[in-house]
């Protein structure tokens, strides 16, 4: 049975701080209230909304991954929508002058390499420098707040797909993450987090009453969110991560892969909570567009015992045995996704990786104890 959960935007009685000045709203299609009204519309009914800010995919969610967004006038509101995912991914002085308080309301997916959280923290840093306040309208972590996976990023490999030393699956809400980074990096941001109500750390998004709105064009389901921790690492390779199919990030493949052999090899490892099915698909865009690919689909049987990071490392370890496999652009992007360049090395060991990830996550759990807002 689904549980009643309210997002931060539905706690308007706790938003007296928003009466204190002009509001800039950093949002996306997932920024809606319980009646599915866009957050900027809800806020504009009571407060002075003066500017909108668009992260990757735009405020309407219609822009594909990696595509730059231009600043424009929104036809519905008449407000300027300033791009934070174009030539400049940071707020300019002109942008900062349009508001006194920045409001952030975007549904995150809980992955270190998902870009929305960095649109937030970059803006927090600049707001701190200019004496602007930041309000985060919190939302659930859709893959729960208990399971933590992956290595901690080496900040020498910081980029737009990972700026801070956190694990790949960091088990925090956006509000908790913002609080942690504000403290850890001594940003000095005047930050207020309006919490969710009713969310528990063991809850996945589909266990709440909240309708699912795609956070990006390529993450359509909770299963795709979970498998993202397994298959995102193929973005830095010549292997399709399922973009251009109806189930992106739930299957991977390439024209040179034998799907049955790959599935058999992976299923022989008897990984908990997942089965690999041989799959064949033809992407309509992105890598191997129009080509028949062999590979596997990752079927989740029990998400509470499934560890997608482990599955992804085993999957990558098997596929890199193909002579046609390669890391793109010398592995630069792959290293940024993974967290360092150890994954590029010939002697990369999945077992050593798992031990390191376990230690990294244990250390991170200690660091975040003081910022956890939910049971």
């Amino acid at each position: 049975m689904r549980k009643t959960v309210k997002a931060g935007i539905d706690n308007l009685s706790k938003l007296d701080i928003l009466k204190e000045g002009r509001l800039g709203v950093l949002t996306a299609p997932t920024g809606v209230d319980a009646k599915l009204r866009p957050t900027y519309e809800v806020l504009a009914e009571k407060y002075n909304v003066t500017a909108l800010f668009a992260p990757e995919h735009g405020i309407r969610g219609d822009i594909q991954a990696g595509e730059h967004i231009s600043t424009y006038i929104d036809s519905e509101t008449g407000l300027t929508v300033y791009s934070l995912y174009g030539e400049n991914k940071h707020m300019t002085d002109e942008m900062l002058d349009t508001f006194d308080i920045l409001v952030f309301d975007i549904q995150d997916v809980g992955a270190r390499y998902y870009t929305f959280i960095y649109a937030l923290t970059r803006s927090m840093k600049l707001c701190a420098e200019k004496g602007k306040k930041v309000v985060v309208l919190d939302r659930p972590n859709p893959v729960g707040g208990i399971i933590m996976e992956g290595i901690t990023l080496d900040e020498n490999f910081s980029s737009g797909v990972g700026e801070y030393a956190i694990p790949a699956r960091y088990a925090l809400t956006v509000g908790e993450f913002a609080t942690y980074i504000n403290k850890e990096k001594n940003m000095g941001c005047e930050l207020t987090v309006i919490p969710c109500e009713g969310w528990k750390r063991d809850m996945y998004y589909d266990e709440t009453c909240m309708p699912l709105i795609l956070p990006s064009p390529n993450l359509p389901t909770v299963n795709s969110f979970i498998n993202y921790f397994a298959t995102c690492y193929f973005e830095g390779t010549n292997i399709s991560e399922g973009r251009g199919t109806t189930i992106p990030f739930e299957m991977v493949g390439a024209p040179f892969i034998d799907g049955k052999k790959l599935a058999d090899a992976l299923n022989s490892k008897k990984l908990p909570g997942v089965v690999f099915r041989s799959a064949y698909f033809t992407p309509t865009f992105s890598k191997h567009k129009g080509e028949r690919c062999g590979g596997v689909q990752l079927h989740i049987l029990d998400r509470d015992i499934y560890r997608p990071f482990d599955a992804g490392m085993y999957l990558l370890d098997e596929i890199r045995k193909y002579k046609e496999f390669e890391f793109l652009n010398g592995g630069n992007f792959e290293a940024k996704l993974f967290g360092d360049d150890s994954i590029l090395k010939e002697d990369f060991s999945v077992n050593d990786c798992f031990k390191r990830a376990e230690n990294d996550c244990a250390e991170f759990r200690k660091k975040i104890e003081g910022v956890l807002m939910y049971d």
Side-chain angles (χ1 to χ4, degrees):
M1 182 176 176
R2 292 191 172 200
K3 304 292 175 52
T4 299
V5 175
K6 291 183 178 181
I9 183 59
D10 294 304
N11 290 325
L12 282 175
S13 62
K14 300 179 180 180
L15 299 181
D16 286 346
I17 185 176
L18 300 184
K19 297 176 182 177
E20 299 176 8
R22 300 166 301 153
L23 306 185
V25 184
L26 172 49
T27 191
T30 54
V32 295
D33 71 358
K35 296 180 180 179
L36 300 182
R37 297 180 301 168
T39 289
Y40 54 81
E41 289 185 9
V42 176
L43 294 177
E45 291 176 358
K46 296 182 64 175
Y47 309 106
N48 183 21
V49 177
T50 53
L52 302 177
F53 295 91
E56 185 178 12
H57 306 299
I59 64 169
R60 310 282 182 218
D62 55 342
I63 309 298
Q64 275 293 343
E67 289 187 24
H68 282 190
I69 300 167
S70 300
T71 292
Y72 64 95
I73 303 297
D74 181 55
S75 60
E76 291 186 15
T77 64
L79 295 172
T80 300
V81 180
Y82 294 97
S83 172
L84 296 182
Y85 202 81
E87 294 182 4
N88 192 340
K89 293 183 173 63
H90 297 77
M91 286 190 177
T92 64
D93 287 342
E94 175 190 356
M95 297 179 195
L96 288 159
D97 286 342
T98 63
F99 65 88
D100 305 301
I101 303 168
L102 180 68
V103 181
F104 178 94
D105 189 13
I106 300 178
Q107 178 62 59
D108 185 42
V109 300
R112 182 188 65 223
Y113 31 74
Y114 208 58
T115 62
F116 293 155
I117 55 175
Y118 307 117
L120 171 59
T121 52
R122 290 181 196 130
S123 300
M124 285 170 54
K125 183 177 180 180
L126 292 168
C127 285
E129 293 172 359
K130 296 291 186 178
K132 310 281 185 176
K133 299 175 182 178
V134 176
V135 174
V136 173
L137 305 181
D138 212 7
R139 291 183 175 272
N141 185 320
V143 294
I146 293 178
I147 300 172
M148 194 177 288
E149 299 183 80
I151 69 163
T152 293
L153 173 80
D154 177 344
E155 291 190 0
N156 289 316
F157 292 84
S158 291
S159 71
V161 292
E163 293 191 7
Y164 301 109
I166 61 175
R169 185 175 182 177
Y170 54 86
L172 298 173
T173 67
V174 169
E176 291 172 332
F177 169 79
T179 302
Y180 172 73
I181 295 299
N182 193 33
K183 177 182 177 182
E184 182 74 8
K185 296 300 181 181
N186 297 310
M187 283 189 179
C189 177
E190 189 172 342
L191 174 68
T192 299
V193 177
I194 306 300
C196 306
E197 287 187 2
W199 185 72
K200 306 294 183 183
R201 304 203 79 83
D202 63 350
M203 293 171 64
Y204 286 80
Y205 196 91
D206 54 9
E207 294 175 309
T208 77
C209 64
M210 302 170 71
L212 179 64
I213 300 172
L214 275 63
S216 84
N218 297 298
L219 289 173
T221 67
V222 173
N223 276 355
S224 66
F225 298 172
I226 298 169
N227 276 326
Y228 192 48
F229 298 100
T231 57
C232 184
Y233 300 104
F234 289 94
E235 289 196 81
T237 75
N238 65 337
I239 307 299
S240 168
E241 63 279 359
R243 292 182 190 271
T245 75
T246 57
I247 49 172
F249 294 106
E250 294 191 51
M251 61 183 176
V252 298
F256 52 82
I257 290 177
D258 184 321
K260 186 178 186 307
K261 286 184 179 179
L262 181 59
D264 288 346
L266 291 161
N267 287 326
S268 70
K269 301 182 187 300
K270 300 185 184 305
L271 301 183
V274 65
V275 168
F276 299 86
R277 179 184 65 85
S278 63
Y280 297 88
F281 58 95
T282 303
T284 59
F285 64 88
S286 195
K287 284 179 279 186
H288 306 302
K289 175 183 176 181
E291 297 183 81
R292 181 178 182 271
C293 295
V296 294
Q297 181 178 350
L298 290 73
H299 290 269
I300 301 172
L301 303 182
D302 185 339
R303 60 193 182 187
D304 291 329
I305 62 173
Y306 176 39
R307 295 298 179 266
F309 176 78
D310 292 6
M313 291 300 101
Y314 278 122
L315 184 53
L316 182 59
D317 201 46
E318 286 295 327
I319 290 179
R320 70 193 299 176
K321 294 175 183 177
Y322 283 85
K323 62 179 176 28
E324 297 92 342
F325 170 85
E326 63 179 299
F327 292 110
L328 302 177
N329 300 316
N332 180 54
F333 187 58
E334 183 69 20
K336 292 173 180 177
L337 285 171
F338 182 68
D340 68 19
D341 61 1
S342 62
I343 197 170
L344 307 178
K345 297 176 180 176
E346 291 293 329
D347 61 352
F348 177 77
S349 163
V350 291
N351 290 327
D352 289 347
C353 173
F354 297 155
K355 291 176 184 177
R356 176 183 168 191
E358 183 178 1
N359 291 334
D360 284 357
C361 289
E363 287 299 314
F364 188 66
R365 286 189 189 279
K366 295 176 185 177
K367 290 184 175 183
I368 62 174
E369 287 177 356
V371 305
L372 300 183
M373 300 170 56
Y374 307 93
D375 295 333

